[in-house]
Amino acid sequence: MAGSPSRAAGRRLQLPLLCLFLQGATAVLFAVFVRDNHKTDAALWHRGNNSNADNEFYFRYPSFQDVHAMVFVGFGFLMVFLQRYGFSSVGFTFFLATFALQWSTLVQDFLHSFHGGHIHVGVESMINADFCAGAVLISFGAVLGKTGPAQLLLMALLEGVLFGINEFVLLHLLGVRDARGSMTIHTFGAYFGLVLSWVLYRPQLEKSKHRQGSVYHSDLFAMIGTIFLWIFWPSFNAALTALEAGQHRTALNTYYSLAASTLGTFALSALVGEDVRLDMVHIQNAALAGGVVVGTSSEMMLTPFGALAAGFLAGTVSTLGYKFFTPVLESKFKVQETCGVHNLHGMPGVLGALLGVLVAGLATHEAYGDGLESVFPLIAEGQHSATSQAMHQLFGLFVTLMFASVGGGLGGLLLKLPFLDCPPDSQCYEDQVHWQVPGEHEDKAQRSLRVEEADTQA
Amino acid sequence: MAGSPSRAAGRRLQLPLLCLFLQGATAVLFAVFVRDNHKTDAALWHRGNNSNADNEFYFRYPSFQDVHAMVFVGFGFLMVFLQRYGFSSVGFTFFLATFALQWSTLVQDFLHSFHGGHIHVGVESMINADFCAGAVLISFGAVLGKTGPAQLLLMALLEGVLFGINEFVLLHLLGVRDARGSMTIHTFGAYFGLVLSWVLYRPQLEKSKHRQGSVYHSDLFAMIGTIFLWIFWPSFNAALTALEAGQHRTALNTYYSLAASTLGTFALSALVGEDVRLDMVHIQNAALAGGVVVGTSSEMMLTPFGALAAGFLAGTVSTLGYKFFTPVLESKFKVQETCGVHNLHGMPGVLGALLGVLVAGLATHEAYGDGLESVFPLIAEGQHSATSQAMHQLFGLFVTLMFASVGGGLGGLLLKLPFLDCPPDSQCYEDQVHWQVPGEHEDKAQRSLRVEEADTQA
Amino acid sequence: MAGSPSRAAGRRLQLPLLCLFLQGATAVLFAVFVRDNHKTDAALWHRGNNSNADNEFYFRYPSFQDVHAMVFVGFGFLMVFLQRYGFSSVGFTFFLATFALQWSTLVQDFLHSFHGGHIHVGVESMINADFCAGAVLISFGAVLGKTGPAQLLLMALLEGVLFGINEFVLLHLLGVRDARGSMTIHTFGAYFGLVLSWVLYRPQLEKSKHRQGSVYHSDLFAMIGTIFLWIFWPSFNAALTALEAGQHRTALNTYYSLAASTLGTFALSALVGEDVRLDMVHIQNAALAGGVVVGTSSEMMLTPFGALAAGFLAGTVSTLGYKFFTPVLESKFKVQETCGVHNLHGMPGVLGALLGVLVAGLATHEAYGDGLESVFPLIAEGQHSATSQAMHQLFGLFVTLMFASVGGGLGGLLLKLPFLDCPPDSQCYEDQVHWQVPGEHEDKAQRSLRVEEADTQA
C-alpha cells in the first residue's frame, strides 16, 4: 500500500494473469494427455468385471472426502489464527490447494500411470494430489503473511514437481515404505518451506510484529482447523494403505499416537507456560504431532504401546520446539517461519522417518505373517533383509532432505525475482494488501485500542 | 420493531402456530401413509438376502452424511456473511431444511414409492429429501433477510411440492438425465427464488442497506460454508448415481470442475476488483460454480478436460455476474436478491443444463460401451437417438424454468398475504426481529463507530 | 488469580503432573496388556480370510470418523457459547476426550476382549471409547466453567470406569438393548454430572454471573457444534448396530426424530420466548433432543411416525425444561449446571429409556420377522418374552440411574479434595485462569462497554 498505489495495483495484476496462464496451460495439458482410467471410463467398464473381486469399483472408505476435509478445512482454518490475515489464510489455502490438485494430478499420474501416450486418472489421483497439496500447504505455513499470491503459485508449481519426483524415487526406485508420509509429505514440505523462508529472510520484519499475534476469535477459528486435522488424520494415513488389516492398523495406530501427543502437549504447554498456564499455539499445533510421527510406521506392527510412546514423544518435542527452538531459529538461523512448521512437521517428520527405520529393522516373518507381503513386499519377496530395508528407509530420509533443501533454495531464488509482487515489510500479515476488507475493521480495532489507552490515562 | 410492539409480538405467533400445525399434519400423514421399506423393515429383511448381491443392504458411500454435511453446514454457514443476520441464516437454514426433509419425503416418496396404499421410505429417501432441501435453501438465499420465518415455511411447503413434481416429470416422464441436478436443483431453486423475490420487490429497501454487508468475522464464518460445499460437492453429485464406474466418474469430473472454477474465480475477482484486489463475495460463491455446472453432465463422459473447461467457464461467468449483473438485476429488473443466487446457481445451472444437452448429443456406443446402459438407458435400449436425448434434455430445461417461474410467482403472491409476519423495510437483515440477541452487541458496534468518527474529527 | 499468584501457579502444576502421571500409567498398562486384535495384527490376518464373509475386514461405514466428528467437533464447539470460556470449552473437550479414548479402551476392552492375558483392541475399540468420551463430555457440560482441568481429569478417570461397568452390566449381564445409548450414554452422563454439580454447589457463584452468557459470535461458534451433532447423530446411533436392515433403520429413525425435535423446538422456543422471539440456547440444544430420545429404540421397529412423535415430544420437553425447570433446578435443588444437560441429555435420555421399554414390550415375531434375532436376540431365542424384555429395559434404567448418582456423588467428593486446583467463585467461566489469552481482549471489551456507557450519558 506504501509507495505509488497505481504501481502496486499494476503489480497485483500478476496474480490474475498467472492464474489464467497456469489454468490455460493445465487445461491444454489435460486436453492432450489426460484420459479417464478403467474405473472412470464408461467404455472400459464391463459387466463381467462385476464379480466378487470388483470391490475396487466401489468407493473405498476412508475416501477422498476425508482427506479433502483434512486438507481444506484442517490446513485452511489452522492458519486463520493471525488477527488480520484470516481471508488470506483460508483463501490462499483454498486457491493453492485447488491449483496443486490439478498440477499434481499431471505430475504424479505422469510418473505413475502414463501409458499409451496418455495419463490415466481416477479417484486415487485425487487422493494422491491431496497429499501433494498437503506438502504445499505446510510450506505455505512457513512463509504465511510474507509472500504474495503470485509468489505462492510459483512455489506450488515448483514444489508440486519436486514432491512428485521425490515420492517416486522413494517409493518406486528405492522401495522405501512411507504409507503417508512422515518423509514425503511432512519432512519434505517443512524443510522446503524452511529453506525457502531462509532465502526470503527479511531483517526489517519487526515492522509488522504487531500483526503477528492472534485475537480471541481467530484462535477459535484456528481450533476448527486443529480438530478437523485431528479427527481426519487416521483417514489421511489409512486412505491408500492396503485394504483389510493394514488399513485398520494404520487408523488405530494413528489414533493412539494422536491421543498421546495431545495429552503430552497439554502437560508440557502448562509446564513451560507463563504462570503454568496453557498456550493456545501449542494446543493448536503440537497436539497434532502424533499424526505426523506415525506417518511412516502406522501401517507397520508398531503396536498400540509403540504408537502411544511415539505420539507422546512427538507432542512433547513439538511443544518444547515452540517454546525454545522457534526463537533461536529466527535469531540464530535467520529463518522466520510463521506457523512453526518446524515444530509440527519438521522435527516430528524426521522422528517419524527414524521410527520407520527402527520398526522396519525389527520386522520379522513371525511378527507379520501373511501380512508381510503388503507391508514390506521387498522383504516378503526376499529382495531385502529387514536391516537393508531399514537402511533404505534411512537413505529415503536423506534423499527427502536433499530434495527439500535444494528445492526450497531454488524456490527462494525464484520468489526473489525482483518484479514479483510481494508485501513490503510493514504490510506483512495484512489482508488489505490482497483483499477488499469489509468496513474498516482494522482501523476500528486500532481506534478502540486508542480509546483504551485514553481510558487508562484518564 | 417499529409500530406497536404487542402487535408485532402477536404476528410473530404465526411461526410457532404454523410450525405446530405443519408438524402435526406431517405426523398424521406419516402415521397413515408412511412405512419402512424393505431395507429398513426388520420383517422384510431375510437372511437369505445376504448373498453376494446384497451390497444394497450396506450403507452406500458416499452417503447421506456427506450430503447432509453439504446442505446443513454448507448452505447454513455460507449465508452467515451478513453482519447482523447470522442467527437467522444458520437458524432458519436448520429449520427450513428439517421441515423440507420431512415434507419432501412425503412428496417424493409418494411419487416414487407409493404402492399397497403406503409410502415406503428408506435411507435413499433422506438423500432425495436433502436435494429438495438444497433447492429450498437456494431460494432462501434470494430472499434472505427480507422474509419472516412463517413466510419461509410456506415457501418451503409450496416449493417442496413443485420440486418433487418437476423432478418426476423430468426424470420419469421425459427420460431426462440430470444426475444431481443442474436443472432440478440449481436452476429450479434459483429461478423460483428470483421470481419470488421479484414479486416481493421493496422499493424502500435501502433503509436497511447499512446492514447488508459483512464484517470480518462473519466472512470467515461464511468461508466454513464455502469450504464444506466445496469438499462435499463430489459426494453430493455422486450420492445417487449408478454404482461403480459412474460414481467414480461423477466424483472426478466434479472435482476437476470445482478446481478450475476456483482458479478462474480468483483470476477474475482480482481482474475486476477495486485496486486489483480480491473480493471475498466472489471467493465464497463463484468458486463453487464448478459444482453447479456439472450437475447434469458429471456422470456422462465429460472427460477431465471437459470438466476443467466447464468449471473455468462457470467460475468466470459467475464472478462477472456478481460484479456487473447483480446491480443491473436490482436496478433494471427489480429483483433484489441477497446472496447472488443468480450468479451461483442460476446462470451456472442453465449453463450446466446446456452442457448436458451438448454431451448427451455427442453420446455414442463406442464412447460409453457397456456403461451406456447406466448413463443413457433410453439410448442403450434404442428408444432415443443421441440427438433426441439432447432435445429431451433441452426440453427438460424449459420445463424446469416454467415450473420455477410459475411456482416462484405463486409463492410470491402467497407470501404477500397481508396478514403474514414480515420484517419492515428498515428492519431487514436484522436478527433482533426474530431472535433474542445476547447483550446489545449491535449497539456496541454502533457506539464504536461513533467513537471512531469522533476520533477522526479530533 | 485472586490471592497469592505464586500459590495459584503452584496449584496449576497439578494439571501437567497429573497428565504426565496418567499418560505414563496408561502407557505402562498398554505395554503390558494391550495387543492388536485379529483385524489389526498383520500376523493374525490370512489371505484365506479374504472370502465373501470378510466384509468385516473392510471399514464399516458409518465409521469411527463420523462418531469422532460428532464427539470432537460437536461437543467441543457446542460448549463454546460462553463469552470468555471458548478456549477452555474446546480445549478441555479435546483433552478430556483424548484421555477418555485411551482410558476407556483399557476399561471397556478389558471387560469385553480380555483373553490370553491380553486386551485385544481394534477399530471398534475406538468407537466404543468415543461413546464413553461422549458421556464424559456430557458431565463436563454440567460443571463447565466451575472446575479446573486437573479436577476434570479425575472426573474422567472415575467416570470412564463406571461407564464401562454400567454398560457391561446392562448389555451383557441384563440383556438390555440400548443401541447407543439413551441410558448408557445420555442418562448416565447427565445424572453423573448433575449429582457431581450438586455436590460442588457454590452459593457465591453469582460473582461470575456476568460471564455466564454468550456474545453474538460465540453463539455462532456454538451452532457449528449443534449442526455437527445433528448431522452425525444418525451415524453415532448406527455405528455399531447390526449391519444391514438394522443400520438403515437406526439411521432413518434418528433422522426423523431429529427433524421433528428441531421443528418442535422452534415452535416452543418462540411460544415461550420474550416477545415471542426465538432463543438461541433452545435451538443450539433442544433441537438435538430427538437424537437422544431414540438412542435406545432407533434400532427397533419404532416406525417413521413413532420417530417423529418421539422427537417432537423430546424437543418440546427439552425447550420447556430450559425455560422453566433450569431456574428451579438451581434455586430449589441447588444444582448449578452450565449447559442445561438435564434438558438435553437427562430428561430426553430417561424418556428414551422409557420409550425403549414400550417398544420392546410391543415386540412380536410378526413385526420383526428374521430381524428379531439381531434386535432382540433373547426374545428370538425364547429366553425372554416381550414383557420380560421390557421389564429388563426398565431395570436397566434404574441401574443406570444408580450408577450415575452414586458415581456422581463419589466424583463430587473426589473433586472437593481441598488441595485440588479450582477456580474461585469470582473467576468461573474465565479462560484467563487456565490459558494465556491473546491481547487483553477481555479488558478491551470492558473498555468498550465503558465507552458505551459514557456515550449514553453524554
Side-chain angles (χ1 to χ4, degrees):
Chain A
M1 316 283 271
S4 153
S6 69
R7 221 186 96 214
R11 282 191 163 213
R12 276 196 289 264
L13 270 175
Q14 290 170 10
L15 170 68
L17 299 181
L18 192 60
C19 260
L20 291 176
F21 172 73
L22 289 177
Q23 183 62 73
T26 306
V28 169
L29 291 171
F30 265 65
V32 177
F33 291 115
V34 176
R35 296 294 178 271
D36 285 312
N37 75 6
H38 67 291
K39 292 195 202 172
T40 51
D41 189 330
L44 297 180
W45 177 81
H46 296 287
R47 291 248 126 201
N49 283 346
N50 197 5
S51 70
N52 285 338
D54 75 335
N55 272 308
E56 66 163 329
F57 280 101
Y58 288 94
F59 264 78
R60 284 184 60 161
Y61 185 81
S63 88
F64 63 95
Q65 289 298 158
D66 299 82
V67 180
H68 259 308
M70 171 146 165
V71 168
F72 283 82
V73 184
F75 283 110
F77 278 93
L78 184 60
M79 295 196 255
V80 175
F81 71 99
L82 289 169
Q83 56 188 286
R84 297 178 176 219
Y85 208 64
F87 284 18
S88 303
S89 297
V90 72
F92 295 162
T93 291
F94 192 24
F95 141 88
L96 281 176
T98 48
F99 171 67
L101 283 182
Q102 297 180 49
W103 180 236
S104 161
T105 294
L106 281 171
V107 174
Q108 292 192 70
D109 288 309
F110 174 75
L111 291 168
H112 293 287
S113 329
F114 187 80
H115 44 85
H118 289 129
I119 299 169
H120 296 267
V121 297
V123 168
E124 285 75 15
S125 310
M126 301 306 303
I127 302 183
N128 277 312
D130 266 320
F131 292 136
C132 175
V136 169
L137 293 173
I138 290 166
S139 303
F140 176 40
V143 297
L144 188 77
K146 302 175 298 175
T147 39
Q151 287 182 304
L152 293 170
L153 215 43
L154 291 177
M155 181 189 84
L157 189 72
L158 176 67
E159 189 169 358
V161 175
L162 294 176
F163 174 89
I165 298 177
N166 180 56
E167 196 196 54
F168 188 77
V169 170
L170 260 67
L171 305 191
H172 292 269
L173 303 187
L174 298 176
V176 168
R177 300 298 296 177
D178 188 26
R180 306 291 10 136
S182 297
M183 287 180 267
T184 55
I185 300 169
H186 299 288
T187 303
F188 178 80
Y191 288 99
F192 186 101
L194 290 166
V195 172
L196 196 151
S197 197
W198 172 74
V199 176
L200 297 181
Y201 181 71
R202 290 170 180 253
Q204 304 287 315
L205 191 60
E206 76 270 21
K207 287 184 184 173
S208 294
K209 211 78 189 177
H210 57 292
R211 278 188 231 98
Q212 226 178 329
S214 61
V215 291
Y216 196 68
H217 280 120
S218 68
D219 269 327
L220 287 176
F221 276 113
M223 276 305 286
I224 299 178
T226 300
I227 300 276
F228 271 88
L229 286 167
W230 204 96
I231 60 177
F232 286 112
W233 213 300
S235 287
F236 186 84
N237 282 349
L240 288 182
T241 43
L243 287 171
E244 293 115 37
Q247 213 179 11
H248 282 248
R249 186 168 57 247
T250 305
L252 194 67
N253 284 335
T254 306
Y255 266 132
Y256 284 133
S257 180
L258 281 165
S261 75
T262 303
L263 277 187
T265 298
F266 270 88
L268 268 283
S269 179
L271 268 187
V272 303
E274 189 194 310
D275 298 329
V276 203
R277 288 183 300 163
L278 297 161
D279 186 334
M280 210 32 155
V281 172
H282 305 160
I283 308 307
Q284 282 160 3
N285 293 283
L288 299 167
V292 177
V293 80
V294 295
T296 300
S297 55
S298 53
E299 69 167 340
M300 305 176 185
M301 285 298 292
L302 183 58
T303 78
F305 165 73
L308 276 192
F312 182 77
L313 180 70
T316 52
V317 164
S318 182
T319 306
L320 295 174
Y322 274 97
K323 182 73 182 180
F324 301 111
F325 192 63
T326 294
V328 176
L329 200 63
E330 175 156 4
S331 62
K332 289 274 157 57
F333 295 93
K334 306 295 178 200
V335 177
Q336 297 158 322
E337 62 132 337
T338 313
C339 291
V341 300
H342 188 256
N343 307 309
L344 174 49
H345 301 280
M347 289 190 296
V350 171
L351 276 179
L354 296 176
L355 183 64
V357 173
L358 179 70
V359 182
L362 295 172
T364 60
H365 282 84
E366 290 70 44
Y368 288 81
D370 282 4
L372 190 62
E373 203 179 309
S374 78
V375 182
F376 293 113
L378 296 180
I379 302 183
E381 293 162 17
Q383 286 191 262
H384 278 180
S385 68
T387 312
S388 70
Q389 180 69 36
M391 287 300 106
H392 278 80
Q393 297 285 133
L394 190 61
F395 186 61
L397 173 61
F398 175 75
V399 170
T400 300
L401 288 169
M402 280 301 102
F403 265 103
S405 308
V406 173
L410 284 175
L413 295 177
L414 178 68
L415 268 59
K416 270 191 129 170
L417 288 178
F419 55 83
L420 284 179
D421 182 37
C422 179
D425 289 343
S426 63
Q427 294 291 328
C428 288
Y429 318 115
E430 170 62 63
D431 273 337
Q432 288 197 12
V433 180
H434 314 293
W435 298 82
Q436 300 170 47
V437 174
E440 296 299 318
H441 83 104
E442 312 297 0
D443 297 350
K444 246 186 259 176
Q446 288 183 323
R447 287 301 162 281
S448 70
L449 260 166
R450 255 199 263 168
V451 167
E452 194 184 318
E453 285 162 19
D455 210 71
T456 43
Q457 285 167 13
Chain B
M1 316 285 268
S4 153
S6 69
R7 220 184 98 215
R11 283 194 161 210
R12 275 197 290 264
L13 269 175
Q14 290 169 8
L15 171 68
L17 299 180
L18 192 60
C19 260
L20 292 176
F21 171 72
L22 288 176
Q23 183 62 73
T26 307
V28 170
L29 291 171
F30 265 65
V32 177
F33 291 115
V34 176
R35 296 294 178 272
D36 285 312
N37 75 6
H38 68 291
K39 292 194 201 173
T40 51
D41 189 329
L44 297 180
W45 177 81
H46 295 288
R47 291 247 127 201
N49 283 347
N50 198 6
S51 69
N52 285 338
D54 74 334
N55 273 307
E56 66 163 327
F57 279 102
Y58 288 94
F59 264 77
R60 284 185 60 163
Y61 185 82
S63 88
F64 64 94
Q65 291 296 158
D66 299 83
V67 180
H68 258 308
M70 172 147 165
V71 168
F72 282 82
V73 184
F75 284 108
F77 279 93
L78 185 59
M79 294 196 256
V80 175
F81 72 99
L82 289 170
Q83 55 188 286
R84 297 178 175 219
Y85 208 64
F87 284 17
S88 303
S89 297
V90 72
F92 296 162
T93 291
F94 193 24
F95 141 87
L96 281 175
T98 47
F99 172 67
L101 284 182
Q102 297 180 48
W103 179 236
S104 159
T105 294
L106 281 171
V107 174
Q108 292 193 71
D109 287 309
F110 174 74
L111 291 167
H112 293 288
S113 330
F114 186 81
H115 44 85
H118 290 128
I119 299 169
H120 296 267
V121 297
V123 168
E124 286 74 16
S125 311
M126 302 306 302
I127 301 183
N128 277 312
D130 266 320
F131 292 137
C132 175
V136 169
L137 293 173
I138 291 167
S139 304
F140 176 40
V143 296
L144 188 76
K146 302 174 299 176
T147 39
Q151 288 182 305
L152 293 170
L153 215 43
L154 290 177
M155 180 189 85
L157 188 74
L158 175 68
E159 189 169 359
V161 175
L162 294 176
F163 174 90
I165 297 176
N166 180 56
E167 197 196 54
F168 188 76
V169 169
L170 260 67
L171 305 191
H172 292 268
L173 303 188
L174 298 175
V176 168
R177 300 298 296 178
D178 188 26
R180 307 281 24 125
S182 297
M183 286 179 268
T184 54
I185 300 170
H186 300 287
T187 304
F188 178 80
Y191 289 98
F192 186 100
L194 290 166
V195 172
L196 196 151
S197 196
W198 173 74
V199 177
L200 297 181
Y201 182 71
R202 290 168 181 256
Q204 305 287 316
L205 192 59
E206 76 270 22
K207 286 184 186 173
S208 294
K209 210 79 189 176
H210 57 292
R211 277 189 232 98
Q212 225 178 329
S214 61
V215 290
Y216 195 69
H217 279 121
S218 67
D219 268 327
L220 287 176
F221 277 113
M223 276 305 286
I224 299 177
T226 300
I227 299 276
F228 271 88
L229 286 166
W230 204 96
I231 59 177
F232 286 112
W233 213 300
S235 287
F236 186 84
N237 282 349
L240 287 183
T241 43
L243 286 171
E244 294 114 37
Q247 212 179 11
H248 281 249
R249 188 168 55 249
T250 304
L252 194 67
N253 284 335
T254 307
Y255 267 132
Y256 284 132
S257 180
L258 282 165
S261 74
T262 304
L263 277 188
T265 299
F266 270 88
L268 268 283
S269 179
L271 268 186
V272 303
E274 188 194 310
D275 299 327
V276 203
R277 287 184 299 163
L278 298 160
D279 186 334
M280 211 30 155
V281 172
H282 305 159
I283 309 307
Q284 282 160 3
N285 293 282
L288 299 167
V292 177
V293 79
V294 296
T296 300
S297 55
S298 53
E299 70 166 342
M300 305 176 184
M301 285 297 292
L302 183 58
T303 78
F305 165 74
L308 276 192
F312 181 78
L313 180 70
T316 53
V317 164
S318 182
T319 306
L320 294 174
Y322 274 98
K323 183 73 183 181
F324 301 111
F325 193 63
T326 295
V328 177
L329 200 63
E330 175 156 4
S331 60
K332 289 274 158 57
F333 296 93
K334 306 294 177 201
V335 177
Q336 298 157 321
E337 62 133 336
T338 314
C339 291
V341 300
H342 188 255
N343 308 309
L344 174 48
H345 302 279
M347 289 190 295
V350 171
L351 277 179
L354 296 176
L355 184 64
V357 173
L358 179 70
V359 182
L362 296 173
T364 61
H365 282 83
E366 290 71 44
Y368 288 81
D370 282 5
L372 190 62
E373 202 179 309
S374 77
V375 182
F376 293 114
L378 296 181
I379 302 183
E381 293 162 16
Q383 285 192 262
H384 279 180
S385 69
T387 311
S388 70
Q389 179 70 36
M391 287 302 105
H392 278 79
Q393 297 285 134
L394 191 61
F395 187 61
L397 173 62
F398 175 77
V399 170
T400 300
L401 288 169
M402 279 304 101
F403 265 103
S405 308
V406 173
L410 284 175
L413 295 176
L414 178 68
L415 268 59
K416 271 191 129 168
L417 288 177
F419 55 82
L420 283 178
D421 182 39
C422 179
D425 289 343
S426 63
Q427 294 291 328
C428 288
Y429 318 116
E430 171 62 64
D431 274 337
Q432 288 197 12
V433 181
H434 314 292
W435 298 82
Q436 300 171 46
V437 174
E440 296 299 319
H441 82 103
E442 313 297 0
D443 297 352
K444 246 186 258 176
Q446 289 183 321
R447 287 304 161 278
S448 70
L449 261 166
R450 254 200 263 168
V451 166
E452 192 184 319
E453 285 161 18
D455 209 70
T456 43
Q457 286 167 12
Chain C
M1 315 283 270
S4 153
S6 70
R7 221 185 96 216
R11 282 189 163 216
R12 275 196 290 264
L13 270 175
Q14 289 170 8
L15 170 68
L17 299 181
L18 192 60
C19 261
L20 292 176
F21 172 73
L22 289 177
Q23 183 62 72
T26 308
V28 170
L29 291 171
F30 265 65
V32 177
F33 291 115
V34 176
R35 297 293 178 271
D36 285 311
N37 74 5
H38 69 290
K39 291 194 201 174
T40 52
D41 189 329
L44 297 180
W45 177 81
H46 296 288
R47 290 248 127 199
N49 283 348
N50 197 6
S51 69
N52 286 338
D54 75 335
N55 273 308
E56 66 163 328
F57 280 101
Y58 288 93
F59 264 77
R60 284 184 61 163
Y61 186 81
S63 88
F64 63 95
Q65 290 296 160
D66 299 83
V67 180
H68 258 307
M70 172 146 165
V71 169
F72 282 82
V73 184
F75 284 109
F77 279 93
L78 185 60
M79 295 195 256
V80 175
F81 73 98
L82 289 170
Q83 55 188 287
R84 297 177 178 220
Y85 208 64
F87 285 17
S88 303
S89 297
V90 72
F92 295 161
T93 291
F94 193 23
F95 140 88
L96 281 177
T98 48
F99 171 67
L101 283 182
Q102 297 180 49
W103 179 236
S104 160
T105 294
L106 281 171
V107 174
Q108 292 192 70
D109 287 310
F110 173 75
L111 291 167
H112 293 288
S113 330
F114 187 81
H115 43 86
H118 290 129
I119 299 169
H120 296 268
V121 296
V123 168
E124 286 75 16
S125 311
M126 302 306 302
I127 301 183
N128 277 312
D130 266 319
F131 293 137
C132 174
V136 169
L137 292 173
I138 291 166
S139 304
F140 176 40
V143 297
L144 188 76
K146 301 176 298 176
T147 39
Q151 288 182 304
L152 293 170
L153 215 42
L154 290 178
M155 180 189 85
L157 189 73
L158 175 67
E159 189 169 358
V161 176
L162 294 176
F163 174 90
I165 297 176
N166 181 55
E167 197 196 54
F168 188 77
V169 170
L170 261 67
L171 306 191
H172 292 268
L173 303 187
L174 298 176
V176 168
R177 299 300 294 178
D178 188 27
R180 305 304 349 148
S182 296
M183 285 179 268
T184 54
I185 300 170
H186 300 288
T187 304
F188 178 80
Y191 289 97
F192 186 100
L194 289 166
V195 172
L196 195 150
S197 196
W198 173 74
V199 177
L200 298 181
Y201 182 71
R202 290 169 182 255
Q204 305 287 317
L205 191 59
E206 76 269 21
K207 288 184 185 174
S208 294
K209 210 79 188 176
H210 57 292
R211 278 189 231 96
Q212 225 178 330
S214 61
V215 290
Y216 195 69
H217 280 121
S218 67
D219 268 327
L220 287 176
F221 277 113
M223 276 304 287
I224 299 177
T226 301
I227 299 275
F228 271 89
L229 286 166
W230 204 96
I231 60 177
F232 286 112
W233 213 300
S235 287
F236 186 84
N237 282 350
L240 288 183
T241 43
L243 285 171
E244 293 115 37
Q247 212 179 10
H248 281 250
R249 187 168 56 248
T250 304
L252 195 67
N253 284 335
T254 307
Y255 266 132
Y256 284 132
S257 180
L258 281 165
S261 74
T262 304
L263 278 188
T265 298
F266 270 88
L268 269 282
S269 179
L271 268 186
V272 303
E274 187 194 311
D275 298 327
V276 203
R277 288 184 300 163
L278 297 160
D279 186 334
M280 212 28 156
V281 173
H282 305 160
I283 308 306
Q284 282 160 3
N285 293 282
L288 299 166
V292 177
V293 79
V294 296
T296 300
S297 56
S298 54
E299 69 166 342
M300 304 175 185
M301 285 297 292
L302 183 58
T303 79
F305 165 73
L308 277 191
F312 182 77
L313 180 70
T316 51
V317 164
S318 183
T319 306
L320 294 174
Y322 274 98
K323 182 74 184 180
F324 301 110
F325 192 63
T326 294
V328 176
L329 200 62
E330 176 157 2
S331 62
K332 289 274 156 58
F333 296 93
K334 306 295 177 202
V335 177
Q336 298 157 323
E337 63 132 338
T338 315
C339 291
V341 301
H342 188 254
N343 308 309
L344 174 49
H345 301 280
M347 289 189 296
V350 171
L351 277 178
L354 296 175
L355 184 65
V357 172
L358 179 71
V359 182
L362 297 172
T364 60
H365 281 83
E366 291 70 42
Y368 287 81
D370 281 4
L372 190 62
E373 201 178 310
S374 77
V375 181
F376 294 113
L378 297 180
I379 302 183
E381 293 163 16
Q383 286 192 259
H384 279 181
S385 69
T387 312
S388 71
Q389 179 70 37
M391 287 302 106
H392 278 79
Q393 297 285 133
L394 191 61
F395 186 61
L397 173 62
F398 175 76
V399 170
T400 300
L401 287 170
M402 279 303 102
F403 266 103
S405 308
V406 174
L410 285 175
L413 296 176
L414 179 67
L415 267 59
K416 271 191 129 169
L417 288 178
F419 55 82
L420 283 179
D421 182 37
C422 180
D425 289 343
S426 63
Q427 294 292 327
C428 287
Y429 318 116
E430 171 61 63
D431 273 338
Q432 287 196 14
V433 181
H434 314 293
W435 298 82
Q436 301 171 44
V437 174
E440 295 299 318
H441 82 103
E442 312 298 0
D443 297 351
K444 247 185 258 176
Q446 288 183 321
R447 287 302 161 282
S448 70
L449 261 167
R450 255 200 261 168
V451 166
E452 193 184 319
E453 285 162 19
D455 209 70
T456 43
Q457 287 168 11

